[in-house]
Amino acid sequence: MPPESLSPYTSPGSKLPVISLFSGAGGLDLAVDRVADAPLSSPSVPSVGPFRVAVATDYAPQALQTLALNFPETVTVAGDIRDISTPELLRAGSLAVGDAAIVVGGPPCTPFSKSGFWLAEKRESRDPNASLLEEYVRIIAQARPEAFVLENVQALTYKTHQGHFQQLLAALSELGYNPQWKTLLAADYGVPQLRKRVFIVGRRDGKAFQFPEPTHGGPSETTRTWDRTKLSHVTAEQAFTGLVTSPESGELVEGKYGELTAEIPGGQNYLWHTSRYGGRDEFKWRSRYWTFLLRLAPDKPSSTLQAQPGPYVGPFHWENLPNEVGDLRARRLRVPELLRLMTFPDNFQIVGSRADIQRQLGNAVPLALGQAVLRALALQLGYIDAETDSDDRLVQSTSSAVLIS
């Protein structure tokens, strides 16, 4: 249990240190920083919470620049995690073994992502980057944090990758952390996105972590019935409420499929232009990926944002705009809209081009999802007062589902 002086929240100078691995744009770092915020809120200035990210690491210079803009007090270590020793990481954060309250991180998901299954090495789980899971375990074993949170794509749990997955759980169990895992749907925690991710959480004291109950409910690809006493899933239109955006260079969908995309209604994809629907008979049934020419449905959460979409991979906005010659064209989502779909604060800054920004956000953990998991962990570890948490949940249950910026 934490010292009495640290409950419910520590003072800024005595916050508990957190180590962030594979930090990327900082989705889990944001969740650490904002664990004390009331659910469904994303204020410009976060509430004072019990944790601070003492040190973060990533191999991508752009990601570290993004982190530096948003977390200026966090020390960053650049480089491949396989070349960074645990003592080096601890020294950078001014930490000793056992000091860290939590280690957070999502090893790059490309070895396990369905989007890479066209490569034989992905399908057969032979990607050398899968060893990054072992690096995560190495740092847990050597840094001995009080707890850890590991996030990855749902496909890590699939039969194809069972060897990697079971080895990971066994290694964490041998360290005494009693890892618990669960696949969570982001929309069930207030994220306007139908994004599934697996979370693995363990505690050094061996007590089993209890995952947070969903706060929202609604239909999804695999859900037809849900608890209607919960808040409804946040829709894309609700997420964009009050958002003022400006046109961005290259946002219109032109080229070979530009005209076809503009004719597709919101919520539909290339299947609109098959013999079974109301568009042109241009494609064979189920001949493309679901996200091909996909338009966002205003009355539903978004599909998963892609980190590296091709020019005709959605979701695209449901509205059409005229191009230079007056022809209507669909448009890509603007950066402020991407931030809303990830429940990141409106004032979050990301380094790079439009493609760089989408890559960083597409690889990130949505803030509200990471916040739900870390909030539950902080509560169970005693770093958030249970009475305070109950008060926040009461606020949540009576509030609008529209995100506050």
Side-chain angles (χ1 to χ4, degrees), residues 217-246:
S220 70
E221 183 182 354
T222 56
T223 305
R224 295 295 177 266
T225 60
W226 61 93
D227 185 350
R228 295 180 183 271
T229 66
K230 299 184 184 300
L231 294 170
S232 297
H233 282 166
V234 180
T235 68
E237 190 169 46
Q238 286 175 319
F240 297 163
T241 297
L243 187 63
V244 178
T245 64
S246 300

Side-chain angles (χ1 to χ4, degrees), residues 250-265 269-270 272-273 280 282-283 288 292-295 310-313 316-323 325-332:
E251 69 177 9
L252 297 185
V253 184
E254 297 282 8
K256 181 177 180 181
Y257 298 114
E259 185 176 343
L260 293 177
T261 307
E263 296 173 1
I264 297 173
N269 61 3
Y270 78 96
W272 182 255
H273 291 302
R280 309 182 195 182
E282 292 282 343
F283 303 105
R288 304 292 181 103
F292 186 66
L293 308 188
L294 177 65
R295 303 294 298 271
Y312 301 111
V313 171
F316 302 110
H317 201 281
W318 58 83
E319 73 176 10
N320 290 326
L321 295 176
N323 61 14
V325 297
D327 295 328
L328 290 179
R329 291 291 182 262
R331 71 167 176 85
R332 294 174 173 82

Side-chain angles (χ1 to χ4, degrees), residues 143-157:
R144 298 299 296 172
E146 188 175 358
F148 70 83
V149 175
L150 189 157
E151 174 270 348
N152 216 290
V153 292
Q154 182 188 18
L156 175 61
T157 67

Side-chain angles (χ1 to χ4, degrees), residues 7-9 375 378-380 382-394:
S7 181
Y9 302 129
R375 189 176 182 82
L379 176 63
Q380 291 167 43
Y383 291 120
I384 287 182
D385 185 77
E387 184 176 338
T388 302
D389 187 71
S390 297
D391 291 343
D392 285 343
R393 288 182 184 278
L394 179 62

Side-chain angles (χ1 to χ4, degrees), residues 15 39 76 86 103-104 218 225 263 267 296 306 359 375 380 388:
K15 288 186 176 184
T76 58
T86 304
V103 168
V104 299
T225 60
E263 296 173 1
L296 205 61
Q306 303 290 309
R359 181 176 64 254
R375 189 176 182 82
Q380 291 167 43
T388 302

Side-chain angles (χ1 to χ4, degrees), residues 12 28 46 125 137-138 140 146 166 170-171 173 180 187 205 211 226 231 236 246 286-288 321 356 358 367 390:
L28 285 175
S125 202
V137 173
R138 166 179 63 87
I140 299 298
E146 188 175 358
Q166 293 304 321
S173 296
Q180 306 295 308
D205 61 12
F211 279 92
W226 61 93
L231 294 170
S246 300
R286 293 184 176 175
S287 59
R288 304 292 181 103
L321 295 176
D356 296 328
Q358 175 141 357
L367 169 56
S390 297

Side-chain angles (χ1 to χ4, degrees), residues 120-362:
E121 67 176 16
K122 308 287 187 184
R123 291 194 305 272
E124 298 165 14
S125 202
R126 292 188 283 109
D127 192 316
N129 284 330
S131 66
L132 295 176
L133 293 173
E134 298 174 11
E135 300 300 321
Y136 190 100
V137 173
R138 166 179 63 87
I139 292 174
I140 299 298
Q142 296 173 354
R144 298 299 296 172
E146 188 175 358
F148 70 83
V149 175
L150 189 157
E151 174 270 348
N152 216 290
V153 292
Q154 182 188 18
L156 175 61
T157 67
Y158 291 175
K159 185 177 180 180
T160 308
H161 304 301
Q162 274 298 301
H164 283 304
F165 189 52
Q166 293 304 321
Q167 287 174 13
L168 173 64
L169 295 177
L172 293 167
S173 296
E174 288 176 7
L175 296 175
Y177 279 85
N178 189 16
Q180 306 295 308
W181 69 274
K182 191 171 185 179
T183 299
L184 304 179
L185 177 64
D188 288 346
Y189 297 89
V191 179
Q193 194 178 158
L194 296 172
R195 183 188 191 105
K196 287 186 176 181
R197 288 296 185 267
V198 62
F199 282 81
I200 307 171
V201 184
R203 295 175 51 164
R204 188 174 62 202
D205 61 12
K207 293 183 180 179
F209 172 72
Q210 302 295 318
F211 279 92
E213 287 295 318
T215 54
H216 294 65
S220 70
E221 183 182 354
T222 56
T223 305
R224 295 295 177 266
T225 60
W226 61 93
D227 185 350
R228 295 180 183 271
T229 66
K230 299 184 184 300
L231 294 170
S232 297
H233 282 166
V234 180
T235 68
E237 190 169 46
Q238 286 175 319
F240 297 163
T241 297
L243 187 63
V244 178
T245 64
S246 300
E248 296 177 357
S249 176
E251 69 177 9
L252 297 185
V253 184
E254 297 282 8
K256 181 177 180 181
Y257 298 114
E259 185 176 343
L260 293 177
T261 307
E263 296 173 1
I264 297 173
Q268 299 287 340
N269 61 3
Y270 78 96
L271 293 174
W272 182 255
H273 291 302
T274 65
S275 59
R276 303 192 188 191
Y277 281 92
R280 309 182 195 182
D281 188 5
E282 292 282 343
F283 303 105
K284 293 182 179 179
W285 183 253
R286 293 184 176 175
S287 59
R288 304 292 181 103
Y289 281 109
W290 175 258
T291 51
F292 186 66
L293 308 188
L294 177 65
R295 303 294 298 271
L296 205 61
D299 60 345
K300 296 178 181 178
S302 171
S303 60
T304 299
L305 295 181
Q306 303 290 309
Q308 294 177 309
Y312 301 111
V313 171
F316 302 110
H317 201 281
W318 58 83
E319 73 176 10
N320 290 326
L321 295 176
N323 61 14
E324 292 181 353
V325 297
D327 295 328
L328 290 179
R329 291 291 182 262
R331 71 167 176 85
R332 294 174 173 82
L333 296 173
R334 295 167 181 167
V335 171
E337 293 164 341
L338 296 177
L339 289 172
R340 286 287 182 94
L341 293 181
M342 292 295 292
T343 59
F344 277 38
D346 289 343
N347 61 348
F348 194 82
Q349 303 175 72
I350 307 180
V351 172
S353 66
R354 170 61 174 73
D356 296 328
I357 291 171
Q358 175 141 357
R359 181 176 64 254
Q360 291 178 67
L361 286 176

